[in-house]
Amino acid sequence: MAIAQLYNVLEPTRQAEVSAHLDTAIAKASKKVDAAVNKPLTDYCVGLSYSLIHGNNFEKEDWASAVGTYLSAFMTAEDSAKVLDSFRETCAAAYEVKVVEEEDDEEDLCNVEFSLAYGGMILLNSARLHVKRGRRYGLLGPNGSGKSTLMRAIATGQLDEFPPELKTVFVDHDIDGSDTNDTVAEWIAQDPQLAHLSAEEKATQLTELEFTPEMQASPIFSLSGGWKMKLALARAVLSGADMLLLDEPTNHLDVKKVAWLKDYLCSLTTCTSIIVSHDPKFLNETITDVIHYERRKLVRYPGTLDLFVEKNPDAKSYFDLTQSTQKFSLPEPGPLEGVKSATKAILKLTGANFKYPTREKYTLNNVSAQCSMASRIACVGPNGAGKSTLIKMMVGETKATDVAFGSLETCYWKHPNARIAYVAQHAFHHIEEHLEMSAVEYIQWRFSSGLDKEQQAADMAHMTDEEKLLLEQELIIFLKEQKGAEEVDEAGNIKAGTMEWIFDRMEVLVKGKKAPEGPDGKPIVPKKIKLLVGRRSKHGDYEYEAKFVGSTEEKENLWIGVKALEMAGFAKFVKDMDDKIAAEGNQRPLTTGEIQKHMDLLGLPEDFATYGKMAGYSGGQKVKTVLGAATWFCPHLLILDEPTNYLDRDSLAALTLAIKEFKGGLVVISHNEEFYGPICPEVWRVPGDGCCHVEGAEWMEAVRLKELEDAKNKSLLPCEKEDKFDAFGNKIEEKEEEKPIDAKEFKKLEKKLKDMRKAGASEDACLDLEIRLDTARVILDKAKAAEKAEKDAVKAAAKVAAGAVKKGKK
């Protein structure tokens, strides 16, 4: 903005006042400086100071950086500092708006003044926290202002002025990723904060909080994220706290449990709540006051969130999902072998049943679902209904207990080269082990082997002891002779292929039994598969090159079919090989610069991603780190389990826009319809009855038709042909020859397409045939038109001839 424009925004009266204050301060500080001579600069300083006054900002550092810079342009540094201090103090005395809290008869819970810093950053400076007993405060502020840091400081006693006699409980997500085998009752019994309660009192109050006796006897790892969150809340309730510090308490909670939490908090009359949340509806229906971060101070606004936003319109940005000051971008997945259509399934689950060992009832029954690179799927349902279990089955992390039809081996299928990024509900569980690393260092460690170490560790963790024993079993491998391919020598003579020994079948050597004899009459030497080192396609299926324990030469390796390996229990080896080949399809250098570029696209700047330790990250920054690591291999399918947790609204809006532009598929578990509604036309409803109800899948047909239309248009585009010339340099005009097609053949092709559709043939095969039919139809129509024109010409000639004959007779 030009100086004149900036200056003209001042109200005429205040313009003269502020200008006079500056002239007075200059005159007092130095007689050598003539304000009139330097009027363009002093006018500009007045304009800058007015913007600070308008924002009720009288912080010394802000005035020094904004106004002091221009004052020092026409006076010494010493005089500039004197002028600035005098000018700022005069303006503060005249214009600063003091926030006066309403007096009431309610009991003060605490009224303290303190400062708070994180590392070298000052978060709060001489800030006052004044809260009443029984009230519910929404703690609001920009992302990174230190809301969670303040709550942790209160809970851990790091605020010197905070009353030590007050009992505070910080309810965050410390059990979100817990895989402990302790039951709910055992976990509650071990908490020292609940030592004042008897076992009967704890059980009674857990029952009142909807934890049935069966759930109290269940291990924590079997609880859904929503029930784990409710258990953390239950622990806080049972503790008899004076103050509850709730950091995103609605994370993982379904609609009913959010309503329960709201009713519960509103029922508390002696316990004060301070709440950080990005859910505006929940805050508006729960809180009695807002505590807002303003210029390193805490300012209290009595009333609901709506009343606060009326007074502070800029605060709408905290909750707006339609606009974002950030821009996220998800990496391009690239092509996938054998997949010409984005609607073609790359992941399928068919007729799967699942039951936890500790439960009598099945969590999922006869579930079938599939995903493609065009998928935009929201998985919704109440807590504990089985949404996360379904997703874990889709990515192969959890296996079906049994099947409603078919076999366990065929109920799950994944395209071998498909790269799948899965951000689990408790994604922090893995990075908590690497908090001393930066995000860049973590990604370098995680993918240094060419594979995803976290995924490998998860695969091993979910293997049963029986499955692990299968990897150590001794195998009897039977071979058969096969004639090799014919060869042609330099003279063109055909040589018959040589005979070679190839894999036939294999059996597990039962302990105590002797190995059978081979073709040579000697016992077959048992072998152990050490690892798989290669993969090839043969007869429409895959074979894997197996290396055996003790073998040193490559010629001792053997190609074994995928079905034989999986039947023998080597599915993990197969998956590792598939993952390695899939990863090689989009290798990226693990350099600091390359990883930082990737993290920049997900809103984590260099100060944090490269130089900051994850121990100091906020919840939102940790989510960005996990999302960045999950998408490092440029996935074809992105699966997000409750991504709205921890992300502020600005980041969530940026993620929404990035998903709309993403070229791969998406499956998202969420309770936030505001988030998934605009981006997910297909919905998997998991209501808790064991079923998965698929709705809106017909939209995929529209995607397929659009692809088909694009492909047809592309196939009918005229191609530029190279010009040809004769020996004299004359251009040879070539006549395009269009081969007519027989109508009977065309009908056969139409019937073939219909049969293929009925038989469930792949979209790629149908697409190719439809393009052939479309081209044939154009040629056939032209042939018919030419034939009709010829007949019409013959008729016209005959008519003319007949007329001439008739005329001659006359």
Side-chain angles (χ1 to χ4, degrees):
M1 184 183 290
I3 293 175
Q5 289 176 308
L6 182 63
Y7 195 63
N8 288 338
V9 300
L10 296 171
E11 300 167 16
T13 304
R14 184 164 294 180
Q15 169 185 328
E17 289 177 0
V18 175
S19 184
H21 292 325
L22 181 57
D23 289 345
T24 302
I26 291 173
K28 284 182 180 179
S30 176
K31 294 180 180 179
K32 297 178 183 178
V33 179
D34 188 347
V37 173
N38 297 284
K39 194 169 190 320
L41 280 172
T42 57
D43 284 353
Y44 195 72
C45 289
V46 170
L48 292 171
S49 62
Y50 183 75
S51 66
L52 293 167
I53 293 167
H54 183 70
N56 202 32
N57 182 358
F58 295 91
E59 294 292 333
K60 186 173 182 178
E61 309 93 88
D62 295 339
W63 280 66
S65 62
V67 182
T69 304
Y70 296 96
L71 291 176
S72 61
F74 59 93
M75 64 180 72
T76 65
E78 184 180 352
D79 288 345
S80 172
K82 289 179 183 178
V83 169
L84 185 65
D85 285 344
S86 175
F87 180 44
R88 182 180 60 82
E89 289 169 5
T90 303
C91 290
Y95 308 120
E96 185 175 11
V97 178
K98 304 289 184 182
V99 178
V100 180
E101 296 189 354
E102 297 177 0
E103 294 295 328
D104 52 48
D105 297 329
E106 294 177 2
E107 177 190 352
D108 282 351
L109 185 66
C110 74
N111 187 358
V112 296
E113 186 176 300
F114 57 90
S115 296
L116 181 67
Y118 183 82
M121 184 186 300
I122 297 174
L123 300 174
L124 293 168
N125 183 24
S126 300
R128 179 166 296 280
L129 180 65
H130 184 192
V131 297
K132 301 284 185 177
R133 185 175 289 278
R135 282 187 173 266
R136 300 173 297 281
Y137 299 88
L139 186 60
L140 300 183
N143 189 34
S145 58
K147 301 182 292 295
S148 297
T149 303
L150 171 60
M151 297 175 82
R152 287 194 183 93
I154 295 173
T156 55
Q158 293 177 0
L159 294 183
D160 294 336
E161 302 300 322
F162 196 82
E165 67 275 9
L166 290 182
K167 187 172 185 180
T168 61
V169 177
F170 183 34
V171 183
D172 58 355
H173 305 268
D174 58 338
I175 63 168
D176 270 0
S178 177
D179 287 326
T180 179
N181 288 315
D182 292 341
T183 65
V184 170
E186 290 170 343
W187 187 77
I188 287 290
Q190 294 166 8
D191 195 318
Q193 294 189 88
L194 309 180
H196 62 288
L197 296 174
S198 68
E200 291 74 19
E201 288 175 317
K202 292 173 185 175
T204 300
Q205 293 199 34
L206 280 174
T207 302
E208 289 176 0
L209 292 170
E210 301 180 356
F211 284 88
T212 64
E214 181 187 2
M215 292 182 71
Q216 293 181 40
S218 298
I220 287 178
F221 75 81
S222 68
L223 296 179
S224 70
W227 280 104
K228 284 182 180 178
M229 185 66 226
K230 193 169 182 181
L231 181 57
L233 290 165
R235 176 178 60 181
V237 170
L238 294 170
S239 69
D242 295 300
M243 181 184 288
L244 291 179
L245 304 166
L246 307 174
D247 191 4
E248 300 289 356
T250 60
N251 280 1
H252 307 304
L253 298 185
D254 59 30
V255 175
K256 288 184 178 178
K257 287 183 177 56
V258 170
W260 167 85
L261 176 61
K262 181 192 70 175
D263 292 342
Y264 173 75
L265 292 175
C266 292
S267 71
L268 299 176
T269 55
T270 59
C271 179
T272 299
S273 302
I274 297 181
I275 306 165
V276 172
S277 175
H278 291 111
D279 185 340
K281 186 174 184 293
F282 170 74
L283 282 178
N284 201 49
E285 295 176 353
T286 305
I287 62 174
T288 57
D289 305 78
V290 169
I291 297 176
H292 190 224
Y293 274 70
E294 295 181 15
R295 302 177 305 282
R296 301 188 186 91
K297 296 288 192 288
L298 296 175
V299 181
R300 183 173 74 89
Y301 293 84
T304 64
L305 180 66
D306 284 345
L307 290 174
F308 166 72
V309 172
E310 281 180 18
K311 297 176 183 177
N312 297 269
D314 291 345
K316 284 183 180 179
S317 63
Y318 299 159
F319 309 101
D320 190 1
L321 263 189
T322 61
Q323 297 181 359
S324 175
T325 59
Q326 303 181 62
K327 179 172 174 58
F328 289 2
S329 181
L330 297 170
E332 291 275 346
L336 193 54
E337 180 188 356
V339 178
K340 296 179 183 177
S341 169
T343 62
K344 183 176 181 179
I346 61 173
L347 192 64
K348 286 183 182 179
L349 193 67
T350 310
N353 300 330
F354 182 83
K355 182 175 79 70
Y356 283 101
T358 56
R359 305 267 180 94
E360 292 184 6
K361 184 181 175 184
Y362 274 82
T363 303
L364 296 170
N365 281 303
N366 193 14
V367 170
S368 297
Q370 67 179 41
C371 308
S372 70
M373 288 178 67
S375 290
R376 290 292 184 273
I377 300 165
C379 186
V380 303
N383 293 139
K387 301 185 301 298
S388 294
T389 303
L390 170 61
I391 294 306
K392 287 178 180 178
M393 291 175 71
M394 291 297 292
V395 298
E397 189 173 302
T398 297
K399 297 177 182 176
T401 310
D402 51 73
V403 291
F405 56 89
S407 65
L408 276 171
E409 290 74 25
T410 59
C411 79
Y412 174 75
W413 176 83
K414 167 188 166 293
H415 189 294
N417 290 355
R419 295 184 294 274
I420 298 175
Y422 173 41
V423 179
Q425 189 180 71
H426 312 306
F428 295 173
H429 180 60
H430 293 299
I431 65 171
E432 292 297 334
E433 300 173 8
H434 307 281
L435 293 180
E436 292 309 307
M437 294 181 180
S438 67
V440 169
E441 290 169 338
Y442 171 67
I443 291 176
Q444 286 173 331
W445 168 83
R446 181 166 168 176
F447 299 99
S448 59
S449 65
L451 289 173
D452 185 345
K453 290 180 182 177
E454 296 287 4
Q455 184 58 55
Q456 288 182 296
D459 290 343
M460 284 300 296
H462 290 90
M463 286 186 72
T464 64
D465 292 336
E466 291 79 7
E467 288 172 328
K468 290 176 183 177
L469 285 174
L470 288 176
L471 300 180
E472 298 296 323
Q473 63 193 348
E474 290 189 322
L475 303 168
I476 302 298
I477 297 179
F478 297 90
L479 304 178
K480 63 182 179 181
E481 279 192 307
Q482 176 179 279
K483 189 176 181 181
E486 295 178 336
E487 299 178 5
V488 181
D489 61 20
E490 294 180 359
N493 300 314
I494 299 176
K495 296 170 61 179
T498 56
M499 298 299 292
E500 59 180 337
W501 291 96
I502 65 168
F503 175 83
D504 182 23
R505 69 185 193 282
M506 62 185 179
E507 299 174 355
V508 177
L509 178 62
V510 180
K511 284 187 177 181
K513 286 193 175 184
K514 292 182 179 180
E517 293 182 352
D520 57 0
K522 296 179 181 179
I524 298 174
V525 178
K527 295 183 177 182
K528 284 186 180 181
I529 296 178
K530 184 177 182 180
L531 74 162
L532 303 180
V533 295
R535 188 187 76 187
R536 69 184 183 188
S537 180
K538 189 174 183 181
H539 305 309
D541 213 337
Y542 283 117
E543 288 185 338
Y544 294 80
E545 186 179 3
K547 183 178 179 66
F548 300 98
V549 174
S551 66
T552 57
E553 297 184 25
E554 187 178 337
K555 65 181 182 181
E556 296 175 349
N557 296 350
L558 195 64
W559 289 96
I560 303 176
V562 62
K563 291 178 181 176
L565 286 167
E566 290 178 342
M567 290 291 288
F570 290 92
K572 183 185 183 306
F573 281 11
V574 170
K575 185 178 183 300
D576 284 349
M577 191 70 242
D578 288 343
D579 289 345
K580 184 177 181 180
I581 293 173
E584 288 172 353
N586 212 324
Q587 284 284 15
R588 306 164 73 183
L590 279 167
T591 61
T592 299
E594 185 70 18
I595 298 173
Q596 183 58 57
K597 284 180 188 176
H598 178 66
M599 297 310 299
D600 285 339
L601 295 175
L602 293 169
L604 196 63
E606 189 176 37
D607 288 353
F608 291 98
T610 298
Y611 300 112
K613 303 299 181 186
M614 290 192 290
Y617 289 4
S618 67
Q621 289 166 336
K622 287 181 179 177
V623 169
K624 292 172 186 177
T625 299
V626 173
L627 186 60
T631 57
W632 175 250
F633 273 161
C634 305
H636 298 101
L637 180 65
L638 180 59
I639 299 179
L640 306 175
D641 195 344
E642 301 201 41
T644 59
N645 296 340
Y646 308 103
L647 284 181
D648 58 69
R649 303 286 285 194
D650 195 34
S651 297
L652 198 55
L655 179 61
T656 302
L657 295 173
I659 287 171
K660 287 181 179 179
E661 297 174 0
F662 181 46
K663 301 301 182 185
L666 172 80
V667 180
V668 58
I669 294 179
S670 179
H671 297 297
N672 187 347
E673 188 172 0
E674 183 186 6
F675 168 66
Y676 71 75
I679 58 176
C680 295
E682 184 174 342
V683 176
W684 295 351
R685 296 200 182 277
V686 185
D689 59 359
C691 298
C692 173
H693 306 278
V694 178
E695 302 172 3
E698 61 274 4
W699 84 280
M700 195 70 76
E701 178 64 14
V703 176
R704 190 192 69 79
L705 291 174
K706 176 69 168 58
E707 280 187 335
L708 178 61
E709 187 63 31
D710 291 343
K712 285 179 179 179
N713 292 337
K714 187 176 180 181
S715 70
L716 295 175
L717 286 175
C719 298
E720 290 186 9
K721 291 188 176 182
E722 187 179 349
D723 292 334
K724 294 183 180 181
F725 301 88
D726 62 19
F728 299 99
N730 300 313
K731 184 178 177 181
I732 301 172
E733 298 294 339
E734 289 190 283
K735 216 176 183 181
E736 275 193 29
E737 291 186 6
E738 292 181 338
K739 186 181 178 181
I741 186 171
D742 186 80
K744 290 183 179 179
E745 182 64 25
F746 184 81
K747 288 184 178 180
K748 285 181 181 179
L749 288 175
E750 282 189 316
K751 185 177 184 305
K752 183 179 179 182
L753 178 61
K754 188 176 180 180
D755 292 341
M756 286 173 68
R757 290 259 184 236
K758 194 173 181 180
S762 71
E763 289 298 328
D764 292 342
C766 294
L767 181 65
D768 289 340
L769 186 53
E770 283 195 60
I771 292 172
R772 281 181 60 196
L773 272 169
D774 193 74
T775 305
R777 186 180 291 107
V778 172
I779 296 172
L780 194 59
D781 288 345
K782 283 186 178 181
K784 285 181 179 178
E787 186 179 350
K788 184 176 183 300
E790 186 178 348
K791 286 181 179 179
D792 290 344
V794 170
K795 285 182 180 178
K799 189 174 181 181
V800 170
V805 170
K806 188 175 181 182
K807 190 175 180 182
K809 286 182 178 180
K810 287 182 179 179

